[in-house]
Amino acid sequence: MAPLPIDPRPLNAAERTVLEHILSAEFDGASQLRSQLDRTEVTAVWGPDSVSVDLQVREPCEHAALPTELVPVEAHVHDPSGAYVGEILVWTDRGATLAALEFAWVTDEMPTSLPTVMHGRLSWPCMTAPPALSAAKDEIAT
């Protein structure tokens, strides 16, 4: 499916948090890509309800010099039980500017939200407290 163009908009909080987390890794070009975040806009979504988006960086900006279009960071996503549910991929335009944020999932259902960063890891689905902990609190209170 071709991306669905939208009126350019700034990164939302979830997109920015995930990008900041991935770009906090040290690799050639990381600092240049980090410096682009304030100038990055979302220009398309990859489908209805998709959290994967196309990005465009407004000039002027500092260009990275990555040898590939894919940012070289493994950003695996796990559910609260620790099971692998996918990964986040960050794509660049010929290694120079941020071009796309992709949630590549392996679950039966397409994710409707980006993962959260918890304890230095990407966790999905987004939860404020694990269900078992909430249930335990209720049992103790009764």
Side-chain angles (χ1 to χ4, degrees):
M1 175 182 292
L4 305 171
I6 61 170
D7 288 334
R9 63 164 176 80
L11 295 169
N12 65 32
E15 293 158 346
R16 181 158 186 126
T17 299
V18 168
L19 284 167
E20 285 174 343
H21 174 71
I22 292 168
L23 297 177
S24 70
E26 288 304 320
F27 57 90
D28 288 340
S31 64
Q32 291 86 0
L33 294 176
R34 282 192 295 269
S35 74
Q36 296 173 9
L37 287 173
D38 288 338
R39 304 192 61 74
T40 301
E41 296 177 324
V42 174
T43 60
V45 295
W46 289 19
D49 300 322
S50 175
V51 295
S52 297
V53 295
D54 283 350
L55 306 171
Q56 181 176 354
V57 180
R58 295 184 320 274
E59 295 289 348
C61 70
E62 189 175 358
H63 289 206
L66 295 176
T68 65
E69 292 183 353
L70 183 60
V71 168
V73 175
E74 290 186 8
H76 296 176
V77 181
H78 296 86
D79 70 12
S81 72
Y84 176 79
V85 296
E87 65 183 308
I88 299 292
L89 303 171
V90 178
W91 297 92
T92 65
D93 181 18
R94 294 182 296 282
T97 59
L98 295 168
L101 175 64
E102 176 183 2
F103 190 160
W105 76 95
V106 296
T107 57
D108 291 337
E109 306 259 339
M110 179 178 76
T112 57
S113 64
L114 286 169
T116 57
V117 179
M118 295 179 60
H119 310 293
R121 293 181 54 172
L122 295 171
S123 180
W124 183 87
C126 305
M127 301 179 66
T128 55
L133 181 60
S134 298
K137 284 181 184 176
D138 291 344
E139 288 180 38
I140 294 170
T142 55

